[in-house]
Amino acid sequence: MAPTLEDVSLFLGLPLAGHAIGPLDSPAGWERALTQRFHGVFTDAPDPVWEHHGPKYEWLLNFRIQNFRASLTAEQITRSLEAYLMWLFGKVMFTENHVTTISTLYIPMALEIVSAQTADQIRQRSWGSAVLAATYRGKCNGCQLTSRKPALLGCPLFLQLWSWERFSIGRPDVRVREPIDAMFDVDGIDMPTFGLCWTRLERCFASDQTRKAYTTLNEQFDAYTGVIWQPYMEAAIEARYPGGLSMLCIRDRDYWMTKSKIIFDVFVEEMAQQRVMRQFGLLQLELPPPIENPVPAHIHMLP
């Protein structure tokens, strides 16, 4: 089993069609340019604060919507959107080991989006495949790190949603506050993605804390036989979303079983769909790689 482009579409609604995201470069003189754009935008917001790697995460928090006290000017809206996009790229979609900063690699993409006057001025990118590639690389790195503080990078939110749909262990107990279809205008475009039930509903976690949870979870997985191979069957969709899923989730379905390589920045990841055919309701003929050599060495040598 593995996360696929189908999962990206259904959970996140990100486009798969478009240009590859990469290679990315830090813009020259980004410190001065960032200061010029954000200086004095809000009277109570400080000028940009940064480290070598990029702008500080805590500085971006000055542009959260809860900090706004009055109607905003066009410039304030633009700069707030730019700050949000830098946070979205650096702290949700493509997380890194730099905890306190946002990578400068994302500044040009955020600036391009907020500077566009029309939609066709924004380069159409394959955001979905980039998120999957970053998550694949993050899992490889996380499994091979030997430090005491290894990190799960890429898009942990996506990986978490993926696991909760397939394994009934290690996930929260969620209870619906109100019917899903009551939250949306199902006749319009604001219909949900499949992962919504895990991100917008009330979470009712157990009040008791489990000691040595890592060991307990491993023991449960060793004995687990209830894998849900295909969580997106029509009956499941109808039960959870009577109004239907957003078109954003299925617009790029022709790409779901692609065998092309997926790219993020300078990383190229293999889409070995023939190893996960059972997730698409098909016969899985190819056996998984042997444990002693789970991934061919040449895959990790790709730039």
Short mmCIF file of all heavy atoms in Angstrom, two decimals, residues 232-298:
data_model
loop_
_atom_site.label_atom_id
_atom_site.label_comp_id
_atom_site.label_asym_id
_atom_site.label_seq_id
_atom_site.Cartn_x
_atom_site.Cartn_y
_atom_site.Cartn_z
N TYR A 232 -12.99 4.68 -1.03
CA TYR A 232 -13.74 5.67 -1.81
C TYR A 232 -14.84 5.05 -2.68
O TYR A 232 -15.15 5.56 -3.74
CB TYR A 232 -12.80 6.47 -2.71
CG TYR A 232 -11.51 6.89 -2.04
CD1 TYR A 232 -10.29 6.59 -2.62
CD2 TYR A 232 -11.53 7.58 -0.84
CE1 TYR A 232 -9.10 6.98 -2.02
CE2 TYR A 232 -10.35 7.96 -0.22
CZ TYR A 232 -9.14 7.66 -0.82
OH TYR A 232 -7.97 8.03 -0.21
N MET A 233 -15.41 3.96 -2.23
CA MET A 233 -16.48 3.33 -2.98
C MET A 233 -17.71 4.24 -3.00
O MET A 233 -17.90 5.09 -2.13
CB MET A 233 -16.82 1.97 -2.38
CG MET A 233 -15.62 1.02 -2.28
SD MET A 233 -14.92 0.63 -3.90
CE MET A 233 -16.21 -0.44 -4.55
N GLU A 234 -18.57 4.04 -4.00
CA GLU A 234 -19.73 4.91 -4.17
C GLU A 234 -20.62 4.92 -2.93
O GLU A 234 -21.16 5.96 -2.55
CB GLU A 234 -20.54 4.47 -5.39
CG GLU A 234 -19.86 4.75 -6.72
CD GLU A 234 -20.77 4.46 -7.89
OE1 GLU A 234 -21.98 4.26 -7.65
OE2 GLU A 234 -20.28 4.44 -9.03
N ALA A 235 -20.76 3.77 -2.30
CA ALA A 235 -21.62 3.70 -1.11
C ALA A 235 -21.05 4.55 0.02
O ALA A 235 -21.80 5.22 0.74
CB ALA A 235 -21.76 2.25 -0.66
N ALA A 236 -19.73 4.54 0.17
CA ALA A 236 -19.10 5.34 1.23
C ALA A 236 -19.25 6.83 0.95
O ALA A 236 -19.52 7.63 1.86
CB ALA A 236 -17.62 4.97 1.34
N ILE A 237 -19.09 7.22 -0.31
CA ILE A 237 -19.24 8.63 -0.67
C ILE A 237 -20.67 9.09 -0.45
O ILE A 237 -20.93 10.16 0.11
CB ILE A 237 -18.82 8.85 -2.14
CG1 ILE A 237 -17.32 8.57 -2.30
CG2 ILE A 237 -19.15 10.26 -2.59
CD1 ILE A 237 -16.84 8.66 -3.73
N GLU A 238 -21.63 8.27 -0.86
CA GLU A 238 -23.03 8.63 -0.70
C GLU A 238 -23.40 8.75 0.77
O GLU A 238 -24.18 9.64 1.17
CB GLU A 238 -23.91 7.59 -1.38
CG GLU A 238 -25.40 7.82 -1.24
CD GLU A 238 -25.86 9.13 -1.87
OE1 GLU A 238 -25.20 9.62 -2.82
OE2 GLU A 238 -26.89 9.67 -1.41
N ALA A 239 -22.85 7.86 1.61
CA ALA A 239 -23.19 7.89 3.03
C ALA A 239 -22.62 9.13 3.72
O ALA A 239 -23.27 9.72 4.59
CB ALA A 239 -22.67 6.62 3.71
N ARG A 240 -21.43 9.52 3.32
CA ARG A 240 -20.77 10.63 4.00
C ARG A 240 -21.07 11.98 3.36
O ARG A 240 -21.10 13.00 4.03
CB ARG A 240 -19.26 10.39 4.04
CG ARG A 240 -18.91 9.24 4.97
CD ARG A 240 -17.53 8.70 4.75
NE ARG A 240 -16.48 9.67 5.02
CZ ARG A 240 -15.18 9.36 5.05
NH1 ARG A 240 -14.82 8.11 4.82
NH2 ARG A 240 -14.28 10.26 5.31
N TYR A 241 -21.26 12.00 2.05
CA TYR A 241 -21.49 13.25 1.34
C TYR A 241 -22.65 13.07 0.36
O TYR A 241 -22.43 12.89 -0.84
CB TYR A 241 -20.24 13.68 0.58
CG TYR A 241 -19.01 13.69 1.44
CD1 TYR A 241 -17.97 12.78 1.22
CD2 TYR A 241 -18.88 14.61 2.47
CE1 TYR A 241 -16.85 12.79 2.03
CE2 TYR A 241 -17.75 14.62 3.28
CZ TYR A 241 -16.75 13.72 3.05
OH TYR A 241 -15.63 13.73 3.84
N PRO A 242 -23.89 13.12 0.83
CA PRO A 242 -25.04 12.90 -0.06
C PRO A 242 -25.07 13.89 -1.23
O PRO A 242 -25.61 13.58 -2.29
CB PRO A 242 -26.25 13.10 0.87
CG PRO A 242 -25.72 12.82 2.24
CD PRO A 242 -24.30 13.29 2.23
N GLY A 243 -24.50 15.07 -1.04
CA GLY A 243 -24.49 16.06 -2.10
C GLY A 243 -23.41 15.85 -3.12
O GLY A 243 -23.38 16.53 -4.15
N GLY A 244 -22.51 14.90 -2.86
CA GLY A 244 -21.42 14.63 -3.79
C GLY A 244 -20.16 15.36 -3.41
O GLY A 244 -20.16 16.34 -2.67
N LEU A 245 -19.04 14.87 -3.95
CA LEU A 245 -17.75 15.49 -3.72
C LEU A 245 -17.54 16.67 -4.65
O LEU A 245 -18.18 16.78 -5.69
CB LEU A 245 -16.63 14.46 -3.95
CG LEU A 245 -16.51 13.33 -2.93
CD1 LEU A 245 -15.48 12.32 -3.40
CD2 LEU A 245 -16.15 13.86 -1.56
N SER A 246 -16.63 17.52 -4.27
CA SER A 246 -16.27 18.66 -5.12
C SER A 246 -15.67 18.16 -6.43
O SER A 246 -14.96 17.15 -6.47
CB SER A 246 -15.26 19.55 -4.40
OG SER A 246 -14.72 20.51 -5.28
N MET A 247 -15.93 18.87 -7.51
CA MET A 247 -15.32 18.54 -8.79
C MET A 247 -13.81 18.66 -8.74
O MET A 247 -13.10 18.06 -9.55
CB MET A 247 -15.88 19.46 -9.88
CG MET A 247 -17.31 19.14 -10.28
SD MET A 247 -17.49 17.45 -10.92
CE MET A 247 -16.43 17.53 -12.37
N LEU A 248 -13.28 19.43 -7.80
CA LEU A 248 -11.83 19.54 -7.65
C LEU A 248 -11.21 18.19 -7.34
O LEU A 248 -10.04 17.96 -7.62
CB LEU A 248 -11.49 20.54 -6.54
CG LEU A 248 -11.93 21.99 -6.74
CD1 LEU A 248 -11.56 22.83 -5.53
CD2 LEU A 248 -11.32 22.56 -8.01
N CYS A 249 -12.00 17.28 -6.74
CA CYS A 249 -11.47 15.99 -6.34
C CYS A 249 -11.33 15.01 -7.51
O CYS A 249 -10.52 14.09 -7.44
CB CYS A 249 -12.37 15.35 -5.28
SG CYS A 249 -12.46 16.28 -3.74
N ILE A 250 -12.12 15.20 -8.54
CA ILE A 250 -12.15 14.20 -9.61
C ILE A 250 -11.79 14.77 -10.98
O ILE A 250 -11.79 14.05 -11.97
CB ILE A 250 -13.55 13.53 -9.70
CG1 ILE A 250 -14.64 14.58 -9.93
CG2 ILE A 250 -13.82 12.74 -8.43
CD1 ILE A 250 -16.02 13.98 -10.12
N ARG A 251 -11.46 16.06 -11.05
CA ARG A 251 -11.19 16.66 -12.37
C ARG A 251 -9.98 16.06 -13.05
O ARG A 251 -9.89 16.04 -14.28
CB ARG A 251 -10.98 18.17 -12.21
CG ARG A 251 -9.80 18.52 -11.31
CD ARG A 251 -9.62 20.00 -11.12
NE ARG A 251 -8.63 20.26 -10.09
CZ ARG A 251 -8.30 21.47 -9.68
NH1 ARG A 251 -8.89 22.53 -10.22
NH2 ARG A 251 -7.39 21.63 -8.73
N ASP A 252 -9.00 15.57 -12.27
CA ASP A 252 -7.77 15.02 -12.84
C ASP A 252 -7.68 13.52 -12.66
O ASP A 252 -6.59 12.97 -12.53
CB ASP A 252 -6.55 15.70 -12.21
CG ASP A 252 -6.42 17.16 -12.60
OD1 ASP A 252 -6.84 17.50 -13.71
OD2 ASP A 252 -5.90 17.96 -11.80
N ARG A 253 -8.81 12.83 -12.66
CA ARG A 253 -8.81 11.40 -12.39
C ARG A 253 -8.04 10.61 -13.45
O ARG A 253 -7.57 9.49 -13.19
CB ARG A 253 -10.24 10.88 -12.28
CG ARG A 253 -11.07 11.01 -13.53
CD ARG A 253 -12.53 10.62 -13.25
NE ARG A 253 -12.61 9.36 -12.54
CZ ARG A 253 -13.69 8.98 -11.84
NH1 ARG A 253 -14.75 9.77 -11.78
NH2 ARG A 253 -13.71 7.82 -11.23
N ASP A 254 -7.88 11.17 -14.64
CA ASP A 254 -7.12 10.48 -15.69
C ASP A 254 -5.65 10.32 -15.33
O ASP A 254 -4.94 9.52 -15.94
CB ASP A 254 -7.23 11.23 -17.02
CG ASP A 254 -8.64 11.15 -17.61
OD1 ASP A 254 -9.41 10.26 -17.19
OD2 ASP A 254 -8.96 11.97 -18.49
N TYR A 255 -5.18 11.05 -14.34
CA TYR A 255 -3.78 10.99 -13.94
C TYR A 255 -3.54 9.99 -12.79
O TYR A 255 -2.39 9.75 -12.42
CB TYR A 255 -3.28 12.36 -13.48
CG TYR A 255 -3.18 13.39 -14.57
CD1 TYR A 255 -4.27 14.18 -14.90
CD2 TYR A 255 -2.00 13.59 -15.28
CE1 TYR A 255 -4.20 15.14 -15.90
CE2 TYR A 255 -1.91 14.54 -16.28
CZ TYR A 255 -3.02 15.31 -16.58
OH TYR A 255 -2.93 16.26 -17.57
N TRP A 256 -4.61 9.48 -12.21
CA TRP A 256 -4.45 8.71 -10.98
C TRP A 256 -3.58 7.48 -11.14
O TRP A 256 -2.87 7.10 -10.21
CB TRP A 256 -5.84 8.30 -10.45
CG TRP A 256 -6.60 9.45 -9.87
CD1 TRP A 256 -6.15 10.71 -9.64
CD2 TRP A 256 -7.97 9.44 -9.45
NE1 TRP A 256 -7.13 11.50 -9.10
CE2 TRP A 256 -8.28 10.75 -8.98
CE3 TRP A 256 -8.97 8.47 -9.42
CZ2 TRP A 256 -9.53 11.09 -8.48
CZ3 TRP A 256 -10.22 8.81 -8.94
CH2 TRP A 256 -10.50 10.10 -8.47
N MET A 257 -3.61 6.85 -12.27
CA MET A 257 -2.84 5.61 -12.46
C MET A 257 -1.62 5.82 -13.36
O MET A 257 -1.11 4.87 -13.95
CB MET A 257 -3.74 4.50 -13.01
CG MET A 257 -4.86 4.13 -12.05
SD MET A 257 -5.75 2.64 -12.53
CE MET A 257 -4.47 1.41 -12.28
N THR A 258 -1.16 7.04 -13.43
CA THR A 258 0.02 7.32 -14.24
C THR A 258 1.24 6.59 -13.68
O THR A 258 1.35 6.37 -12.47
CB THR A 258 0.31 8.83 -14.29
OG1 THR A 258 1.45 9.05 -15.09
CG2 THR A 258 0.59 9.39 -12.89
N LYS A 259 2.15 6.22 -14.57
CA LYS A 259 3.39 5.58 -14.16
C LYS A 259 4.58 6.52 -14.35
O LYS A 259 5.73 6.11 -14.33
CB LYS A 259 3.62 4.29 -14.96
CG LYS A 259 2.55 3.23 -14.69
CD LYS A 259 2.81 1.96 -15.48
CE LYS A 259 1.72 0.92 -15.22
NZ LYS A 259 1.94 -0.33 -15.99
N SER A 260 4.29 7.79 -14.53
CA SER A 260 5.35 8.78 -14.71
C SER A 260 6.05 9.08 -13.39
O SER A 260 5.51 8.82 -12.31
CB SER A 260 4.76 10.08 -15.28
OG SER A 260 4.11 9.86 -16.50
N LYS A 261 7.23 9.62 -13.49
CA LYS A 261 7.94 10.09 -12.30
C LYS A 261 7.30 11.39 -11.84
O LYS A 261 6.78 12.17 -12.64
CB LYS A 261 9.43 10.29 -12.61
CG LYS A 261 10.18 8.99 -12.88
CD LYS A 261 11.64 9.26 -13.16
CE LYS A 261 12.43 7.95 -13.24
NZ LYS A 261 11.93 7.08 -14.32
N ILE A 262 7.29 11.60 -10.55
CA ILE A 262 6.74 12.83 -9.99
C ILE A 262 7.88 13.66 -9.40
O ILE A 262 8.86 13.12 -8.90
CB ILE A 262 5.66 12.53 -8.94
CG1 ILE A 262 6.17 11.54 -7.89
CG2 ILE A 262 4.41 12.00 -9.60
CD1 ILE A 262 5.17 11.25 -6.78
N ILE A 263 7.73 14.97 -9.47
CA ILE A 263 8.84 15.88 -9.20
C ILE A 263 8.43 16.93 -8.18
O ILE A 263 7.33 17.47 -8.23
CB ILE A 263 9.31 16.58 -10.50
CG1 ILE A 263 9.78 15.55 -11.52
CG2 ILE A 263 10.41 17.59 -10.21
CD1 ILE A 263 10.03 16.13 -12.89
N PHE A 264 9.33 17.21 -7.26
CA PHE A 264 9.25 18.40 -6.41
C PHE A 264 10.65 18.95 -6.23
O PHE A 264 11.54 18.26 -5.74
CB PHE A 264 8.63 18.10 -5.04
CG PHE A 264 8.75 19.26 -4.09
CD1 PHE A 264 8.12 20.46 -4.38
CD2 PHE A 264 9.52 19.17 -2.95
CE1 PHE A 264 8.26 21.54 -3.54
CE2 PHE A 264 9.66 20.25 -2.10
CZ PHE A 264 9.01 21.43 -2.39
N ASP A 265 10.84 20.19 -6.63
CA ASP A 265 12.14 20.84 -6.57
C ASP A 265 13.16 20.01 -7.34
O ASP A 265 13.00 19.79 -8.53
CB ASP A 265 12.55 21.06 -5.11
CG ASP A 265 13.68 22.06 -4.97
OD1 ASP A 265 13.98 22.76 -5.95
OD2 ASP A 265 14.27 22.16 -3.88
N VAL A 266 14.21 19.51 -6.67
CA VAL A 266 15.22 18.71 -7.38
C VAL A 266 15.03 17.22 -7.11
O VAL A 266 15.87 16.41 -7.50
CB VAL A 266 16.65 19.13 -6.95
CG1 VAL A 266 16.91 20.55 -7.37
CG2 VAL A 266 16.85 18.96 -5.44
N PHE A 267 13.94 16.83 -6.46
CA PHE A 267 13.71 15.44 -6.13
C PHE A 267 12.78 14.79 -7.16
O PHE A 267 11.74 15.34 -7.51
CB PHE A 267 13.10 15.29 -4.74
CG PHE A 267 13.95 15.86 -3.65
CD1 PHE A 267 13.44 16.74 -2.72
CD2 PHE A 267 15.29 15.52 -3.56
CE1 PHE A 267 14.23 17.27 -1.71
CE2 PHE A 267 16.10 16.03 -2.56
CZ PHE A 267 15.57 16.91 -1.63
N VAL A 268 13.18 13.63 -7.65
CA VAL A 268 12.37 12.86 -8.59
C VAL A 268 12.00 11.54 -7.92
O VAL A 268 12.87 10.80 -7.48
CB VAL A 268 13.14 12.59 -9.90
CG1 VAL A 268 12.27 11.79 -10.86
CG2 VAL A 268 13.59 13.90 -10.54
N GLU A 269 10.71 11.27 -7.82
CA GLU A 269 10.24 10.06 -7.15
C GLU A 269 9.54 9.14 -8.15
O GLU A 269 8.91 9.60 -9.11
CB GLU A 269 9.28 10.43 -6.02
CG GLU A 269 9.92 11.25 -4.91
CD GLU A 269 10.96 10.48 -4.13
OE1 GLU A 269 10.79 9.26 -3.95
OE2 GLU A 269 11.95 11.10 -3.69
N GLU A 270 9.64 7.85 -7.91
CA GLU A 270 9.06 6.84 -8.79
C GLU A 270 7.61 6.59 -8.42
O GLU A 270 7.27 6.41 -7.25
CB GLU A 270 9.85 5.54 -8.67
CG GLU A 270 9.56 4.53 -9.76
CD GLU A 270 10.29 4.87 -11.05
OE1 GLU A 270 11.38 5.44 -11.00
OE2 GLU A 270 9.73 4.54 -12.11
N MET A 271 6.72 6.59 -9.43
CA MET A 271 5.33 6.23 -9.22
C MET A 271 5.14 4.77 -9.60
O MET A 271 4.85 4.42 -10.74
CB MET A 271 4.42 7.11 -10.08
CG MET A 271 4.13 8.48 -9.46
SD MET A 271 3.17 8.36 -7.95
CE MET A 271 1.66 7.65 -8.55
N ALA A 272 5.34 3.86 -8.65
CA ALA A 272 5.26 2.42 -8.91
C ALA A 272 3.83 1.94 -8.70
O ALA A 272 3.52 1.20 -7.77
CB ALA A 272 6.23 1.68 -7.99
N GLN A 273 2.93 2.38 -9.59
CA GLN A 273 1.53 2.04 -9.42
C GLN A 273 1.28 0.53 -9.53
O GLN A 273 0.30 0.02 -8.99
CB GLN A 273 0.69 2.77 -10.48
CG GLN A 273 0.69 4.28 -10.34
CD GLN A 273 -0.03 4.73 -9.09
OE1 GLN A 273 0.40 4.44 -7.98
NE2 GLN A 273 -1.10 5.45 -9.25
N GLN A 274 2.18 -0.19 -10.25
CA GLN A 274 1.96 -1.62 -10.39
C GLN A 274 2.08 -2.35 -9.05
O GLN A 274 1.66 -3.49 -8.92
CB GLN A 274 2.97 -2.22 -11.39
CG GLN A 274 4.42 -2.16 -10.96
CD GLN A 274 5.09 -0.85 -11.32
OE1 GLN A 274 4.41 0.12 -11.61
NE2 GLN A 274 6.41 -0.83 -11.32
N ARG A 275 2.63 -1.68 -8.04
CA ARG A 275 2.76 -2.29 -6.71
C ARG A 275 1.53 -2.04 -5.84
O ARG A 275 1.43 -2.61 -4.76
CB ARG A 275 4.00 -1.73 -6.00
CG ARG A 275 5.31 -2.00 -6.72
CD ARG A 275 6.48 -1.61 -5.84
NE ARG A 275 7.75 -1.69 -6.54
CZ ARG A 275 8.44 -2.80 -6.72
NH1 ARG A 275 7.97 -3.94 -6.25
NH2 ARG A 275 9.58 -2.78 -7.38
N VAL A 276 0.63 -1.18 -6.27
CA VAL A 276 -0.52 -0.84 -5.42
C VAL A 276 -1.83 -1.00 -6.18
O VAL A 276 -2.79 -0.27 -5.94
CB VAL A 276 -0.38 0.60 -4.87
CG1 VAL A 276 0.79 0.71 -3.92
CG2 VAL A 276 -0.25 1.62 -6.00
N MET A 277 -1.88 -1.94 -7.10
CA MET A 277 -3.07 -2.10 -7.95
C MET A 277 -4.31 -2.48 -7.14
O MET A 277 -5.43 -2.18 -7.53
CB MET A 277 -2.80 -3.15 -9.02
CG MET A 277 -1.67 -2.79 -9.97
SD MET A 277 -1.99 -1.28 -10.91
CE MET A 277 -3.08 -1.91 -12.16
N ARG A 278 -4.11 -3.13 -6.01
CA ARG A 278 -5.25 -3.56 -5.21
C ARG A 278 -6.03 -2.35 -4.67
O ARG A 278 -7.23 -2.45 -4.42
CB ARG A 278 -4.77 -4.44 -4.05
CG ARG A 278 -5.91 -5.11 -3.30
CD ARG A 278 -5.38 -6.11 -2.29
NE ARG A 278 -6.45 -6.69 -1.51
CZ ARG A 278 -6.28 -7.56 -0.51
NH1 ARG A 278 -5.06 -7.95 -0.19
NH2 ARG A 278 -7.30 -8.04 0.16
N GLN A 279 -5.36 -1.23 -4.50
CA GLN A 279 -6.03 -0.02 -4.03
C GLN A 279 -7.00 0.54 -5.07
O GLN A 279 -7.87 1.35 -4.74
CB GLN A 279 -5.00 1.05 -3.66
CG GLN A 279 -4.20 0.71 -2.42
CD GLN A 279 -3.12 1.74 -2.12
OE1 GLN A 279 -1.97 1.40 -1.94
NE2 GLN A 279 -3.49 2.99 -2.08
N PHE A 280 -6.83 0.11 -6.32
CA PHE A 280 -7.71 0.55 -7.39
C PHE A 280 -8.70 -0.55 -7.79
O PHE A 280 -9.33 -0.48 -8.84
CB PHE A 280 -6.89 0.97 -8.61
CG PHE A 280 -6.06 2.20 -8.37
CD1 PHE A 280 -4.75 2.09 -7.94
CD2 PHE A 280 -6.59 3.46 -8.58
CE1 PHE A 280 -3.97 3.22 -7.71
CE2 PHE A 280 -5.83 4.60 -8.35
CZ PHE A 280 -4.53 4.48 -7.92
N GLY A 281 -8.82 -1.59 -6.95
CA GLY A 281 -9.74 -2.67 -7.23
C GLY A 281 -9.27 -3.62 -8.30
O GLY A 281 -10.08 -4.36 -8.88
N LEU A 282 -7.97 -3.64 -8.57
CA LEU A 282 -7.41 -4.48 -9.63
C LEU A 282 -6.54 -5.58 -9.04
O LEU A 282 -6.20 -5.56 -7.85
CB LEU A 282 -6.59 -3.61 -10.60
CG LEU A 282 -7.37 -2.47 -11.27
CD1 LEU A 282 -6.44 -1.61 -12.09
CD2 LEU A 282 -8.50 -3.03 -12.14
N LEU A 283 -6.14 -6.52 -9.87
CA LEU A 283 -5.30 -7.63 -9.44
C LEU A 283 -3.86 -7.16 -9.31
O LEU A 283 -3.30 -6.59 -10.24
CB LEU A 283 -5.38 -8.78 -10.44
CG LEU A 283 -4.62 -10.06 -10.07
CD1 LEU A 283 -5.18 -10.66 -8.78
CD2 LEU A 283 -4.70 -11.07 -11.20
N GLN A 284 -3.28 -7.38 -8.15
CA GLN A 284 -1.91 -6.94 -7.90
C GLN A 284 -0.96 -8.11 -8.15
O GLN A 284 -0.78 -8.97 -7.31
CB GLN A 284 -1.78 -6.42 -6.46
CG GLN A 284 -0.48 -5.72 -6.17
CD GLN A 284 -0.58 -4.87 -4.92
OE1 GLN A 284 -1.55 -4.14 -4.73
NE2 GLN A 284 0.40 -4.96 -4.05
N LEU A 285 -0.35 -8.14 -9.33
CA LEU A 285 0.51 -9.25 -9.72
C LEU A 285 1.93 -9.09 -9.21
O LEU A 285 2.59 -10.06 -8.88
CB LEU A 285 0.51 -9.38 -11.25
CG LEU A 285 -0.84 -9.71 -11.90
CD1 LEU A 285 -0.70 -9.71 -13.42
CD2 LEU A 285 -1.33 -11.07 -11.42
N GLU A 286 2.42 -7.86 -9.18
CA GLU A 286 3.82 -7.65 -8.80
C GLU A 286 3.96 -7.71 -7.29
O GLU A 286 3.25 -7.03 -6.54
CB GLU A 286 4.31 -6.30 -9.31
CG GLU A 286 5.80 -6.07 -9.02
CD GLU A 286 6.34 -4.90 -9.82
OE1 GLU A 286 5.79 -4.61 -10.90
OE2 GLU A 286 7.31 -4.29 -9.35
N LEU A 287 4.90 -8.51 -6.83
CA LEU A 287 5.13 -8.64 -5.40
C LEU A 287 5.88 -7.43 -4.87
O LEU A 287 6.65 -6.79 -5.60
CB LEU A 287 5.93 -9.91 -5.11
CG LEU A 287 5.23 -11.23 -5.47
CD1 LEU A 287 6.18 -12.40 -5.24
CD2 LEU A 287 3.97 -11.41 -4.66
N PRO A 288 5.68 -7.09 -3.60
CA PRO A 288 6.45 -5.98 -3.02
C PRO A 288 7.93 -6.31 -2.98
O PRO A 288 8.32 -7.49 -3.02
CB PRO A 288 5.85 -5.83 -1.62
CG PRO A 288 5.12 -7.08 -1.35
CD PRO A 288 4.74 -7.69 -2.65
N PRO A 289 8.79 -5.30 -2.92
CA PRO A 289 10.24 -5.56 -2.89
C PRO A 289 10.63 -6.27 -1.60
O PRO A 289 9.95 -6.16 -0.58
CB PRO A 289 10.84 -4.15 -2.94
CG PRO A 289 9.77 -3.25 -2.43
CD PRO A 289 8.48 -3.87 -2.85
N PRO A 290 11.71 -7.04 -1.62
CA PRO A 290 12.14 -7.75 -0.41
C PRO A 290 12.54 -6.77 0.68
O PRO A 290 13.00 -5.66 0.41
CB PRO A 290 13.35 -8.56 -0.90
CG PRO A 290 13.82 -7.86 -2.13
CD PRO A 290 12.59 -7.29 -2.77
N ILE A 291 12.35 -7.18 1.92
CA ILE A 291 12.61 -6.31 3.06
C ILE A 291 14.06 -5.86 3.11
O ILE A 291 14.37 -4.73 3.46
CB ILE A 291 12.24 -7.04 4.37
CG1 ILE A 291 10.73 -7.32 4.40
CG2 ILE A 291 12.65 -6.23 5.59
CD1 ILE A 291 10.27 -8.09 5.60
N GLU A 292 14.99 -6.75 2.72
CA GLU A 292 16.40 -6.39 2.84
C GLU A 292 16.83 -5.33 1.83
O GLU A 292 17.87 -4.70 1.99
CB GLU A 292 17.28 -7.64 2.67
CG GLU A 292 17.15 -8.34 1.32
CD GLU A 292 16.05 -9.38 1.31
OE1 GLU A 292 15.23 -9.36 2.26
OE2 GLU A 292 16.01 -10.20 0.38
N ASN A 293 16.02 -5.10 0.80
CA ASN A 293 16.33 -4.07 -0.17
C ASN A 293 15.02 -3.43 -0.64
O ASN A 293 14.58 -3.64 -1.76
CB ASN A 293 17.10 -4.65 -1.37
CG ASN A 293 17.53 -3.58 -2.35
OD1 ASN A 293 17.68 -2.42 -1.98
ND2 ASN A 293 17.72 -3.96 -3.60
N PRO A 294 14.38 -2.63 0.22
CA PRO A 294 13.02 -2.18 -0.07
C PRO A 294 12.92 -1.25 -1.27
O PRO A 294 11.92 -1.25 -1.96
CB PRO A 294 12.63 -1.44 1.23
CG PRO A 294 13.93 -1.10 1.86
CD PRO A 294 14.89 -2.18 1.52
N VAL A 295 13.93 -0.45 -1.52
CA VAL A 295 13.90 0.48 -2.66
C VAL A 295 15.23 0.38 -3.40
O VAL A 295 16.29 0.43 -2.78
CB VAL A 295 13.67 1.92 -2.18
CG1 VAL A 295 13.70 2.91 -3.35
CG2 VAL A 295 12.34 2.05 -1.46
N PRO A 296 15.21 0.23 -4.72
CA PRO A 296 16.46 0.17 -5.47
C PRO A 296 17.35 1.39 -5.18
O PRO A 296 16.85 2.51 -5.08
CB PRO A 296 16.01 0.13 -6.93
CG PRO A 296 14.61 -0.41 -6.87
CD PRO A 296 14.04 0.08 -5.58
N ALA A 297 18.64 1.15 -5.09
CA ALA A 297 19.56 2.23 -4.72
C ALA A 297 19.55 3.38 -5.72
O ALA A 297 19.70 4.55 -5.34
CB ALA A 297 20.99 1.68 -4.60
N HIS A 298 19.32 3.06 -7.01
CA HIS A 298 19.39 4.13 -7.99
C HIS A 298 18.26 5.15 -7.84
O HIS A 298 18.38 6.29 -8.25
CB HIS A 298 19.37 3.53 -9.41
CG HIS A 298 18.02 3.01 -9.83
ND1 HIS A 298 17.58 1.74 -9.51
CD2 HIS A 298 17.01 3.59 -10.52
CE1 HIS A 298 16.37 1.54 -9.99
NE2 HIS A 298 15.99 2.66 -10.62
#
